[in-house]
């Protein structure tokens, strides 16, 4: 075990022992996923008011530490990322703040040129954005292969703690951009220069937005055909539930191995990329002009403009199977690893170091 992991483990064990001796609880009386607030009038200053084993919520709504996120459209979404430069998701997963493509909601704004390709997909049961990003522009280290953020976590307080997500893309909004729904089930993978963020609706929301496959990333949790340099919105079929696949005619469920068993180097299946249609392409400049106004000295958002070969409403259909998934890592000292799909964006990792240690210490 690398020295810094041994050191972190020792500190975490000592801290856990101390707080447990003092009678500090691990779990909240009400899990984050069971807390419902209307937006914008009902959102509290902090959704998590507990002071438990992981301490208190890091951020506050309507401040630069805002922990309320949104996923609405190709030009209007947020990503969870650190508040301080040169950070690692594994070290900050409980403290991430919202970085968004539009100003005006009290969040941080994704800088021009950070987004390098994005696919927005609307399906019968979820909407998602998948893409490529210069993650150093949102305070992540360049070599951070990241991890998963979701509203559960080992202690049911979510990562980030108290993080809320809203959308006007669900059917309940009826196309009204001012009618908001709280996304109860969602997951966001960040790292390796890529991301995926999905919000799920309906009776199968928890299945489509699974939060137990945190080590196999976007390629398996949000299989896609996103392309670097292309900005597009599409309609799509539902994916298979993450972790569920068919082998020799039999429906199987994948069991993610324990972190203690080392890196995941092989998978028993390849994720099927769901078919998409009615894809329309845009340039990043026209999509993220609002974000550029928050950075007047840097000019308009940059990035490769996708070619719209048939004008607005151009349709395309994609389907297929992800052709490969590989683990990128150099040594045992790297805590996070990424499973990347060759024909789509894949950003994923092992559970964050602190989350893994808390799970081991508290839930064993």
């Amino acid at each position: 075990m690398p020295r810094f992991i041994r050191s972190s483990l020792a500190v975490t064990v000592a801290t856990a022992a101390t707080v447990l001796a003092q009678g500090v609880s691990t779990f909240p009386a009400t899990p984050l996923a069971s807390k419902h607030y209307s937006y914008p009038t009902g959102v509290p200053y902090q959704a998590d008011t507990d002071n438990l084993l992981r301490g208190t919520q890091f951020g506050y709504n309507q401040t630069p530490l805002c922990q309320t996120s949104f996923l609405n459209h190709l030009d209007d979404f947020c990503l969870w990322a650190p508040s301080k430069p040169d950070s690692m998701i594994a070290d900050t997963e409980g403290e991430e703040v919202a970085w968004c493509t539009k100003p005006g909601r009290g969040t941080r704004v994704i800088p021009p040129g950070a987004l390098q390709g994005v696919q927005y997909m609307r399906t019968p049961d979820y909407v998602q954005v998948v893409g490529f990003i210069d993650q150093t522009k949102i305070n992540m280290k360049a070599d951070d292969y990241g991890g998963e953020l979701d509203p559960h976590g080992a202690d049911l307080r979510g990562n980030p703690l108290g993080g809320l997500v809203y959308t006007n893309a669900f059917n309940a909004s009826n196309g009204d951009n001012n009618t908001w729904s709280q996304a109860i089930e969602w997951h966001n993978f960040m790292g390796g220069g890529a991301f995926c963020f999905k919000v799920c609706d309906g009776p199968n929301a928890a299945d489509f937005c699974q939060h137990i496959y945190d080590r196999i990333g976007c390629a398996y949790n949000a299989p896609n055909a996103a392309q670097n340099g292309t900005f597009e919105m599409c309609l799509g079929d539902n994916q298979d539930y993450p972790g569920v696949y068919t082998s020799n005619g039999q429906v199987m469920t994948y069991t993610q191995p324990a972190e203690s068993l080392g890196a995941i180097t092989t998978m028993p299946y390849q994720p099927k990329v769901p078919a998409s249609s009615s894809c329309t392409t845009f340039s990043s400049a026209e999509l993220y002009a609002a974000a550029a106004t928050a950075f007047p000295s840097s000019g308009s958002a940059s990035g490769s403009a996708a070619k719209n070969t048939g004008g607005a409403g151009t349709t395309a259909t994609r389907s297929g199977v992800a052709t490969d998934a590989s683990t990128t890592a150099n040594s045992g000292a790297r805590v996070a690893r990424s499973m990347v799909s060759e024909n789509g964006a894949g950003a994923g990792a092992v559970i964050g170091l602190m989350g893994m240690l808390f799970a081991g210490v508290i839930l064993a």
Side-chain angles (χ1 to χ4, degrees), residues 4-356:
F4 80 94
I5 294 182
R6 292 200 303 268
S7 175
S8 297
L9 179 59
V11 170
T12 304
V13 170
T15 302
T18 299
V19 294
L20 287 176
Q22 295 173 347
V24 178
S25 299
T26 302
F27 301 98
T30 304
L32 176 62
S34 298
K35 296 180 178 181
H36 301 164
Y37 308 101
S38 61
Y39 181 86
T41 57
V43 177
Y45 199 45
Q46 285 188 316
D48 188 326
T49 56
D50 293 307
N51 186 3
L52 305 177
L53 184 59
R54 284 203 286 165
T56 58
Q57 182 174 346
F58 175 74
Y60 306 86
N61 287 314
Q62 300 298 316
T63 74
L65 298 181
C66 183
Q67 291 181 304
T68 301
S69 185
F70 303 87
L71 201 174
N72 299 320
H73 209 274
L74 178 61
D75 67 342
D76 187 6
F77 65 90
C78 307
L79 299 171
W80 294 112
S83 65
K84 298 178 181 179
D86 210 29
S87 296
M88 301 281 286
I89 294 292
D91 298 330
T92 61
E93 62 178 3
E95 304 174 356
E96 313 302 11
V97 298
W99 292 76
C100 306
T101 60
K102 286 189 174 182
R105 299 188 183 115
T107 68
R108 300 197 182 191
V109 180
I110 298 173
L115 295 169
Q116 300 170 347
V118 182
Q119 181 190 69
Y120 170 89
M121 184 75 70
R122 181 183 179 88
T123 80
D125 285 278
Y126 59 86
V127 294
Q128 71 178 24
V129 285
V130 182
F132 303 84
I133 189 170
D134 177 354
Q135 62 193 37
T136 64
K137 293 182 180 292
I138 55 171
N139 288 347
M140 292 175 62
K141 285 187 175 181
D143 62 350
D144 183 9
Y145 285 86
E148 180 196 20
L149 296 313
D150 65 64
H152 301 282
D155 58 3
L156 306 183
R157 299 177 71 190
N159 283 309
L161 271 69
L164 301 176
V165 176
Y166 291 89
T167 181
N168 57 30
F170 286 166
N171 292 333
S173 296
N174 292 317
D176 181 1
N177 290 340
N178 294 314
T179 299
W180 298 91
S181 297
Q182 183 178 349
I184 304 303
E185 297 292 347
W186 53 268
H187 56 211
N188 178 194
F189 287 81
M190 300 292 299
F195 63 86
C196 58
F197 185 16
K198 182 199 303 173
V199 295
C200 300
D201 194 20
N204 301 312
D207 293 311
F208 284 113
C209 278
Q210 272 288 2
H211 59 92
I212 62 174
Y213 298 109
D214 52 350
R215 301 183 64 199
I216 56 177
C218 290
Y220 287 83
N221 285 279
N224 64 88
Q227 299 295 318
N228 202 348
T230 297
F231 297 81
E232 65 178 358
M233 64 177 184
C234 305
L235 298 178
D237 294 344
N238 284 335
Q239 67 170 88
D240 294 334
Y241 295 154
V244 176
Y245 63 100
T246 302
S247 177
N248 297 322
Q250 184 177 1
V251 177
M252 310 286 288
T253 299
Y254 171 70
T255 299
Q256 181 175 272
E259 174 70 12
S260 60
L261 298 178
I264 300 173
T265 57
T266 61
M267 290 289 292
Y269 72 104
Q270 295 293 330
K272 182 176 66 175
V273 177
S276 62
S277 62
S278 302
C279 294
T280 305
T281 58
F282 301 85
S283 72
S284 61
E286 63 182 315
L287 287 172
Y288 309 120
T293 63
F295 302 88
S297 62
S298 60
S300 61
S302 61
S304 300
K307 295 180 180 179
N308 190 336
T309 56
T314 296
T315 61
T317 302
R318 292 198 186 103
S319 63
V321 178
T323 59
D324 185 39
S326 60
T327 302
T328 53
N330 49 16
S331 70
R334 174 165 286 170
V335 179
R337 290 168 171 81
S338 174
M339 301 294 291
V340 182
S341 164
E342 284 189 352
N343 66 336
V350 300
I351 191 170
L353 175 60
M354 293 305 292
M356 178 269 289

